[in-house]
Structure formats: C-alpha cells, structure tokens
Amino acid sequence: FNCPIGFTSSQTSPACTPIQQTPTPANVADALFYQMKGLFVTPGTTPGGPQITTTTQGQTVTLQARVYNYSLANMPAGARVHVQFYAQPWDATTGQFQSQAGNPNAFAAAAFIGEDLLAPIPAFCGGSQGDVDPCADGQAPQNWVFAETAWDTSNVAADTYWKFWVVAWMEQGGQLVQEIGDHGLKSIPASPLNSLADVPIKTYSNNLGFYNQTFNVISTASATESRFNTQISDTDQTSTLAIDDIKTPSGSLLLHQPIMIRASHRSDTGPGFDSILSLFYDGDPEKRGVLFDQEVIPGIRAGESFVTLASFRPGTCGRHQIFVRSIPGDGSAAPVTKAATVHVTADLQFELDSLDRAIKAAKLKRGIESLLLGEVKAVRKLLDRERDDTARYLMVALKHEIRALSGKKIPLETANTWLEEAELILGCIK
C-alpha cells in the first residue's frame, strides 16, 4: 500500500495511519507515492528542446510541470493555482537526499527555483453533466496546463547533484481553497520551504510530487573534461565502468510490498562517463527477465561512484534474482551486469482474506458462494495447523471449482482474477 509521508500501513491493516516514532533519516526517495512523471527539464530560457540531466554551472534551464484538475468540478472563478519549483540536494554516493551537517535526520536546505501562477484549470472533460458522459464530447477542454519557471544555476555550487520537486495549491482571495475531505494541504505552504517534508499535507495529497531523476550541475572544468568534448586517441584513457554492489533489504521480503534497491556504480579510469542507462530486471535479461525500473545516471567522473535506485514490488513468492545492467550512453565501454538474490514470502492469511472478500463482493448464488468460501476457510485452518501439503491440495481443488464455474455461474473476467489469486497463494505455500 502506498501511504503519504508520515503515514504507514501493513498487510494486516491496509489503512494509512500516522507513524508514531522518532524522526527517520532524510530519505523521501522511498516514498513512491510522490514520484511524478510530467516534469520536463530543457536547456535555455524557453520550453522545448531535448530533456537534459546535466548542465554547466551558470547556465539556465527551463522546468515545466503538468498540473491537472482531476475533479469533475471546475475550480472557483477567480482562484489562482500556485506552483512552486524546488531543487533538493542529492547525495549520489549513498542514493538519498542530503542531510544537514551534523543532523542526519534533517534535510539539507532545498534551492527555491521559482513560482508560477495559473488561471483556474477546467474540470476533467469539462465537468459533470448528469447522466451524460462528459468525455464523449470531442471538444471537451483540456484538464491540465503547464506550469513553468527558469533555474539560473549560477546560484548553486558546481559538481553537485539535485532532484526536483513541485508543490501546487489553489488560493482565492488570499485563502486556501479546500479540496475534498482529508485531501490536499492543511495550509498555504511557507515560502520558501526547506524540504519536501515541510509541505503541510493532509492524509492524502496529490499536491506534492518529486521527479525521481538525478540532475547534475557540473563545473566548467568538468564540462571540458567530458568525453563528449574530448578527443580520445590513447587507449589508456578508456574508461572502465563497474557495478560494485547491489543493496537490498535484509531478510525475506513481503509479497506486494515495494522496496528500494540500490546499485553502486564506479568509474575507475579515463575521463569517466557522461551518461549511463541503468536497467533493473526481475530475472536474467538474457532469459526473459522482466524490466521493472530504470534510471539515467547523468555522469560519473573518473574515480567517483554513483548509486542508482529502483523500486521493486514482488508479485510472486520464492527466490528472485535482481539483475542490474548498465549501458554507457556514448558506447565507450561495454555494458556491465551484476545480480543479487532476494527471497519473497507472503502473509497467507491476508491473501486468503483478500480472496474471501472478493468472493463475497461478487454476489453469487448462495450455494456457490458457500461452497467457495467453505474451501477458503478450510485452507486457512489447514495452514494454521501447519498442514501445508493438504492446504496445497485443497487450493488446487478450489481452482478446479472456479474453472468449472467460469463463464457459467461466475463471470469469466472475475473467475480469471480469482484463478490468478489462487495460483499466487499456491506459489506461497511452503
């Protein structure tokens, strides 16, 4: 389950509840809920052009973010949407946001980039129209607009790494426009903010988003040393790329629970690398391994290291081999691959409860519902008594029952979903 910053959930209690503990390390990179995609970073002071991950100190870059109104209600007339852009210092050697010196539980100060003010954004497909589908109108207004600002990088240190984040809210007459209950912000944010953790969010909020791509502001000297700007004629100057380590959480992982995987990259010799594509696979990519995440490393200078992050949400129990394959963008070195192994288990009672709820929600005929629920209950009791072999046999029998009723007494799509759940549970019984 994805919960906002400051809240947590568990397999047995899916509701998001406040975390009651001391402050955690400054690493909101693990808060997958806030990762955003619709942010564009381009060179110069006007939008357009290639998406970039590196610029030279002193250059200006343009940031654009898509801001949406997903509601079926139009924003109030006279309201204004405030959109603020920030760059948060990033520690590329550890793969997390930088902390304050001497205080590992507090963020290093963010760089405030700028603010854009937007007119009210139309509702989704123009808003509710009673029984009429508003999206059936091909001329329905667009429910998103671009917010934009420019970042003058002469105001930040050279050879530093950053990650961008954006916060947006509505104001009318100087007051915060409230969203639906428990959604949005508690108050108008202070300006400027120090970090993502200072955004006053409610239980659920789409007002905050960070772009999970590292951006590098390099010095003029580093730009001059760039492989793209240097003619390499001596083979001794060829860079060597290595993946030193892949860090995964210790112990067994829990089915469906997202984890962060960190892969440490290093450039040993030569001028380093300007861009590296780091790909994360569940399984060997040469044997149909599944790509589940990727990151572009903006650059690694000679002798330095860079940690890439990937979010992995295991979908089956058992042993998983995580492969990281990293490919230099300029073709100056061969791709490198390294693997790590993780083990995934499940809260089987939780999974059975989920199947139980799905059967009850289907509103089947009483006799069929009782039959299926009885078999789920029997499997639960057998697992409690550690009679796994018999529980596995009964789960196979349940699959046969569902398949026999599929398309007749149980809608085909519903039956297929239950069969997938039953197969998943089978794979998790020891």
Side-chain angles (χ1 to χ4, degrees):
F1 301 97
N2 288 331
C3 288
I5 298 171
F7 289 78
T8 186
S9 67
S10 67
Q11 286 277 24
T12 56
S13 179
C16 294
T17 56
I19 297 173
Q20 303 295 330
Q21 59 183 38
T22 56
T24 54
N27 185 19
V28 185
D30 290 351
L32 305 180
F33 182 88
Y34 293 103
Q35 291 187 16
M36 63 184 294
K37 294 183 179 180
L39 191 141
F40 304 90
V41 186
T42 53
T45 58
T46 57
Q51 181 88 336
I52 58 173
T53 57
T54 303
T55 194
T56 306
Q57 184 191 37
Q59 297 296 311
T60 297
V61 297
T62 295
L63 279 69
Q64 286 186 305
R66 287 197 184 107
V67 182
Y68 290 82
N69 179 3
Y70 277 124
S71 171
L72 287 172
N74 287 305
M75 293 182 178
R80 288 293 179 268
V81 179
H82 293 246
V83 185
Q84 291 186 347
F85 294 78
Y86 290 84
Q88 196 78 35
W90 184 258
D91 187 342
T93 62
T94 60
Q96 64 181 19
F97 290 110
Q98 285 187 12
S99 301
Q100 293 178 12
N103 188 356
N105 293 327
F107 285 91
F112 174 64
I113 298 174
E115 181 173 354
D116 199 1
L117 290 177
L118 308 175
I121 303 172
F124 180 70
C125 288
S128 176
Q129 300 176 21
D131 294 333
V132 179
D133 180 4
C135 297
D137 182 3
Q139 302 301 315
Q142 181 174 278
N143 73 318
W144 64 269
V145 296
F146 275 120
E148 179 183 322
T149 193
W151 189 27
D152 179 1
T153 61
S154 61
N155 299 319
V156 301
D159 294 326
T160 51
Y161 294 96
W162 306 82
K163 284 200 175 181
F164 300 116
W165 56 276
V166 181
V167 59
W169 69 93
M170 291 182 287
E171 285 187 32
Q172 186 177 34
Q175 301 297 314
L176 179 69
V177 176
Q178 295 295 325
E179 301 182 33
I180 62 176
D182 295 325
H183 286 55
L185 301 182
K186 296 178 181 178
S187 60
I188 295 174
S191 186
L193 293 164
N194 183 73
S195 73
L196 300 83
D198 295 329
V199 179
I201 59 171
K202 292 186 177 180
T203 304
Y204 182 96
S205 175
N206 282 323
N207 305 69
L208 168 67
F210 82 91
Y211 185 52
N212 196 29
Q213 168 60 52
T214 308
F215 191 86
N216 191 194
V217 177
I218 62 176
S219 64
T220 303
S222 296
T224 302
E225 295 170 1
S226 165
R227 175 174 293 276
F228 287 149
N229 296 324
T230 304
Q231 295 295 321
I232 306 290
S233 57
D234 187 347
T235 56
D236 292 338
Q237 291 297 308
T238 300
S239 297
T240 302
L241 178 65
I243 301 175
D244 286 331
D245 184 36
I246 300 175
K247 290 185 178 180
T248 61
S250 59
S252 294
L253 311 181
L254 198 57
L255 188 70
H256 301 315
Q257 293 298 292
I259 62 165
M260 297 304 295
I261 295 172
R262 290 172 165 81
S264 180
H265 295 69
R266 175 171 44 84
S267 174
D268 279 340
T269 59
F273 299 91
D274 291 281
S275 179
I276 299 167
L277 177 61
S278 189
L279 305 171
F280 291 75
Y281 294 87
D282 182 7
D284 189 342
E286 300 295 336
K287 299 178 181 178
R288 297 186 178 182
V290 178
L291 178 70
F292 63 85
D293 208 346
Q294 65 181 49
E295 182 177 354
V296 175
I297 300 175
I300 306 179
R301 289 180 290 276
E304 295 189 357
S305 62
F306 189 103
V307 173
T308 56
L309 283 82
S311 170
F312 178 56
R313 186 190 297 268
T316 58
C317 288
R319 178 175 176 268
H320 289 252
Q321 272 197 300
I322 305 299
F323 281 77
V324 181
R325 170 168 289 180
S326 296
I327 307 168
D330 61 359
S332 60
V336 292
T337 303
K338 194 176 182 68
T341 300
V342 296
H343 296 274
V344 180
T345 60
D347 181 342
L348 287 172
Q349 297 297 345
F350 174 86
E351 300 298 334
L352 288 168
D353 286 345
S354 177
L355 181 57
D356 189 285
R357 289 193 298 269
I359 293 171
K360 290 177 180 177
K363 305 297 183 184
L364 303 175
K365 289 185 177 180
R366 184 177 297 275
I368 297 174
E369 179 183 284
S370 297
L371 171 66
L372 299 179
L373 292 177
E375 293 189 352
V376 172
K377 183 177 180 180
V379 171
R380 183 182 287 107
K381 287 183 176 180
L382 288 167
L383 291 173
D384 282 340
R385 298 170 184 171
E386 298 184 353
R387 296 174 60 185
D388 292 353
D389 288 343
T390 309
R392 187 180 297 107
Y393 175 82
L394 194 54
M395 279 301 304
V396 172
L398 176 60
K399 283 183 61 179
H400 287 313
E401 293 283 0
I402 295 172
R403 189 174 290 112
L405 296 168
S406 175
K408 302 172 184 176
K409 304 296 184 179
I410 304 175
L412 183 60
E413 184 176 351
T414 300
N416 287 338
T417 300
W418 293 354
L419 287 169
E420 290 176 3
E421 291 186 30
E423 185 63 33
L424 183 149
I425 293 170
L426 269 171
C428 295
I429 298 176
K430 295 179 181 179

